[in-house]
Amino acid sequence: MPQYKAPLRDMRFQLNEVFDYAGHYASLSNGGDATPDMVDAILEGCATFCEEVLAPLYATGDSEGCSITDGVVTTPKGYKEAYKEYVAGGWQGLSHPQEYGGQGLPMSLNLLKSEMMGTANWPFTMYPGLSLGCMNTVFQFGNTEQKNLYMPPLVSGEWTGTMCLTEPQCGTDLAQIRTKAEPQPDGTYKLYGTKIYISSGEHDLADNIIHIVLARLPDAPKGTRGISLFIVPKFMVNADRSLGERNSVKAGALEHKMGIRASATCVMNFDGATGFMISEKNKGLEAMFTFMNTARIGTALQGVAHAELSYQGAVPYAKDRRSMRALTGKKDADHPNDALIWHADVRRMLLTQRAVAEGGRAMIYHAAKLADHMVAGVAEGNKAKYDDYDDRLGFYTPILKGFLTELGLECANLGMQVFGGHGYVKDYGMEQIARDARISTLYEGTTGIQALDLLGRKVLLQSRGKVVFGFTSEMIDQAKPHLLDGGPIGTMARTAFKRAIQWKVLTLRLMLRANKDRDVVSAACYDFLMYSGYVMMSHFWLKQALVAHKALASGKGSESKEFYAAKVQTAEFYFERLLPRADGHKKSMLSPTSAIMQMDNEHFSFN
């Protein structure tokens, strides 16, 4: 079984040496308490909790799964105790306002926590993780009474929350929502309908569950403009926050899933459940998608988490398992055969996992700094600041979510491949990582939806290419001083420089083609997203390589020379072996749409 060990050395390298988080926190209105010592203490404490409490429950939770009896869901053995320890440690309120019992630290610290927790045990992490969307919505759109009533127990973790969107007839297309909300004389609403795929919709970890639910009023206009948002508690809440009678919302079933089996994914039935409107009438969708960019970063973390965990399982196996002799001759002279790690193809798989995990971590840590400024804008009541950083973050999120989860799934499968046949059986734990990783490309918007959002909405409609031009300018600025350098740094800088120009040209070409052929957007969007992901990651690998190379040259740095050398070598691998994949996506996105659209619908099958 993979033995999770928090990658604190790489986390610290990126936080302190690559992204200067100490300076970043000092610039935030809510960052004063996030001193280097405080951040280090949080990292150490969370690492211990993840390694000693959460990681041991990962395999057992999958084997046992959740169960349901008469609408009551029971989580696997050890989950209740682990959740109590999580709450006692104050982890839930790490980045939430002090006025509601939180610690008021920057949001990025919550992401660092979530990365470690998610890598150690993603199914468990979903229980407190789903509360974040609920808390963020109540915090930004709830009235004073709602915030005072619900926020403190949500922030402490005493209660958990959900987001109830999907229905049997609709997933992404929320215009089809049918759940009804009937107004009552006392100002409340009665909700009727069924929601599906509701993560943490019912469980035995917390005393109450606060559901944030999309529904339609009787006089609501059709489409997305007619959706309102409601707070529906599992147990009614009295003015002193004591719990009242059971509300008419119940889990009708648990979904039987391929992976994340220890996470309760529920069918939720609202049979006249009492609800309270939050935000404005018919503007629920806008409120529901508050902080959606940060939610998608949270899902992007799953790509990094599963790449990291699979890598941590694969490396020891590759060092211990022996098969044949290396092609360049005997390596382990004391044995009749050599360890797997001497074989170039196995090293290719391991280095792919490492490059994705550490490259993805860098991408997310950069985006997290933008998220910190965005959340600070809300705390400061500065809407202009919030909107500005939300827009900036909006360019990164579909790339992070779509690209990193696709590569995280690939890396989970590579971990199985390193193990060979042993990877396919449950005894070694690698197949569970692959099963758990599979959902990441589907929820919070499939890869195709993220791709449409990136190319169709963010690039073509909203910015007319400016978001790409802005980022590629950053790439050029970073690479330019090193274009004449020798060695791997110069080679990588020149490659990144060329890719930045190429990305600009491709964006312009797609803009011109889309003016004549609307199908171009849908036909090219997946390849555009994946191309964008590979090129964006090259920027962040060059950033890490530059820092590591400087530390090696100067002899100064907080890490060993072996650590820095491995960083540069992993960057070289990325540029030589993974970045060229972008060329295939480039060719595909520019190919004629006729290859996709010309076939008659009836000719897809001749059965």
Side-chain angles (χ1 to χ4, degrees), residues 250-263:
K250 191 174 183 181
L254 286 175
E255 303 290 356
H256 300 286
K257 300 170 296 186
M258 173 181 177
I260 55 170
R261 297 183 64 251
S263 171

Side-chain angles (χ1 to χ4, degrees), residues 21 46 77 107 143 160 184 244 260 300 314 332 377 445 460 474 479 502 567:
Y21 258 75
C46 189
K77 291 182 179 64
M107 203 213 76
N143 58 38
T160 63
Q184 303 299 302
I260 55 170
D332 298 328
L460 298 183
E474 293 179 25
Q502 185 183 66
K567 269 291 175 187

Side-chain angles (χ1 to χ4, degrees), residues 6-14 17 558-560 562-563:
L8 293 180
R9 291 179 70 178
D10 189 59
M11 293 175 74
R12 289 188 177 113
F13 166 73
Q14 300 212 31
E17 299 183 55
S558 59
E559 271 294 349
S560 66
E562 291 81 8
F563 178 93

Side-chain angles (χ1 to χ4, degrees), residues 215-527:
R216 293 186 182 280
L217 298 173
D219 60 348
K222 294 181 179 180
T224 57
R225 295 183 179 180
I227 300 175
S228 298
L229 192 63
F230 301 87
I231 296 173
V232 181
K234 174 181 174 179
F235 287 97
M236 300 302 292
V237 181
N238 299 316
D240 61 356
R241 297 196 202 100
S242 62
L243 300 184
E245 62 182 10
R246 183 73 154 80
N247 205 353
S248 299
V249 52
K250 191 174 183 181
L254 286 175
E255 303 290 356
H256 300 286
K257 300 170 296 186
M258 173 181 177
I260 55 170
R261 297 183 64 251
S263 171
T265 306
C266 305
V267 176
M268 301 300 298
N269 296 320
F270 297 83
D271 300 315
T274 298
F276 307 88
M277 184 178 288
I278 184 171
S279 186
E280 299 178 47
K281 175 182 175 181
N282 297 329
K283 292 188 177 180
L285 203 59
E286 177 184 333
M288 171 65 89
F289 282 95
T290 299
F291 292 105
M292 184 52 69
N293 284 327
T294 56
R296 285 175 175 164
I297 293 177
T299 307
L301 272 176
Q302 189 171 357
V304 173
H306 286 117
E308 176 69 40
L309 185 61
S310 189
Y311 178 66
Q312 289 195 18
V315 169
Y317 185 86
K319 289 180 177 179
D320 293 339
R321 179 76 172 180
R322 299 183 179 280
S323 182
M324 303 178 291
R325 285 294 186 194
L327 295 180
T328 52
K330 189 183 297 184
K331 302 297 181 184
D332 298 328
D334 296 336
H335 297 272
N337 40 36
D338 292 324
L340 288 177
I341 201 166
W342 287 111
H343 298 294
D345 187 57
V346 173
R347 296 171 81 89
R348 171 190 62 82
M349 293 187 282
L350 296 175
L351 283 167
T352 298
Q353 292 177 301
R354 177 172 180 163
V356 170
E358 296 180 8
R361 181 173 295 123
M363 292 165 74
I364 287 175
Y365 284 12
H366 172 76
K369 292 173 73 172
L370 301 179
D372 279 342
H373 287 293
M374 184 188 76
V375 175
V378 175
E380 297 162 11
N382 187 337
K383 189 175 185 304
K385 181 177 181 178
Y386 168 83
D387 290 340
D388 177 41
Y389 280 99
D390 189 43
D391 287 343
R392 293 195 211 180
L393 195 60
F395 169 63
Y396 289 90
T397 49
I399 299 174
L400 297 179
K401 198 282 179 185
F403 175 73
L404 291 182
T405 56
E406 289 286 347
L407 264 62
L409 177 60
E410 176 187 344
C411 290
N413 283 314
L414 287 176
M416 290 178 62
Q417 196 76 9
V418 170
F419 274 67
H422 288 160
Y424 195 66
V425 296
K426 291 182 179 292
D427 307 59
Y428 291 84
M430 301 304 286
E431 57 83 35
Q432 182 188 346
I433 303 171
R435 285 188 290 108
D436 287 354
R438 188 64 190 87
I439 186 60
S440 65
T441 68
L442 304 176
Y443 55 17
E444 289 293 345
T446 63
T447 305
I449 292 298
Q450 302 301 327
L452 277 171
D453 179 49
L454 174 65
L455 180 58
R457 186 161 166 259
K458 305 290 175 54
V459 174
L460 298 183
L461 289 178
Q462 289 186 346
S463 75
R464 300 297 296 168
K466 290 181 181 178
V467 287
V468 172
F469 304 153
F471 185 81
T472 50
S473 294
E474 293 179 25
M475 291 183 66
I476 289 169
D477 289 343
Q478 175 175 264
K480 212 170 186 178
H482 306 281
L483 295 180
L484 299 181
D485 288 5
I489 292 297
T491 300
M492 289 187 284
R494 288 186 289 274
T495 301
F497 186 89
K498 292 174 185 176
R499 289 290 184 182
I501 295 172
Q502 185 183 66
W503 194 3
K504 285 186 177 184
V505 173
L506 283 171
T507 302
L508 287 169
R509 290 182 68 178
L510 289 176
M511 288 170 63
L512 293 173
R513 289 185 62 199
N515 288 334
K516 298 177 182 179
D517 180 2
R518 292 297 180 91
D519 281 330
V520 165
V521 179
S522 184
C525 65
Y526 167 77
D527 289 296

Side-chain angles (χ1 to χ4, degrees), residues 534-553:
Y534 281 115
V535 176
M536 180 178 281
M537 186 176 278
S538 75
H539 172 71
F540 288 102
W541 262 117
L542 178 59
K543 186 180 291 291
Q544 293 181 76
L546 289 171
V547 173
H549 178 75
K550 183 178 179 180
L552 283 171

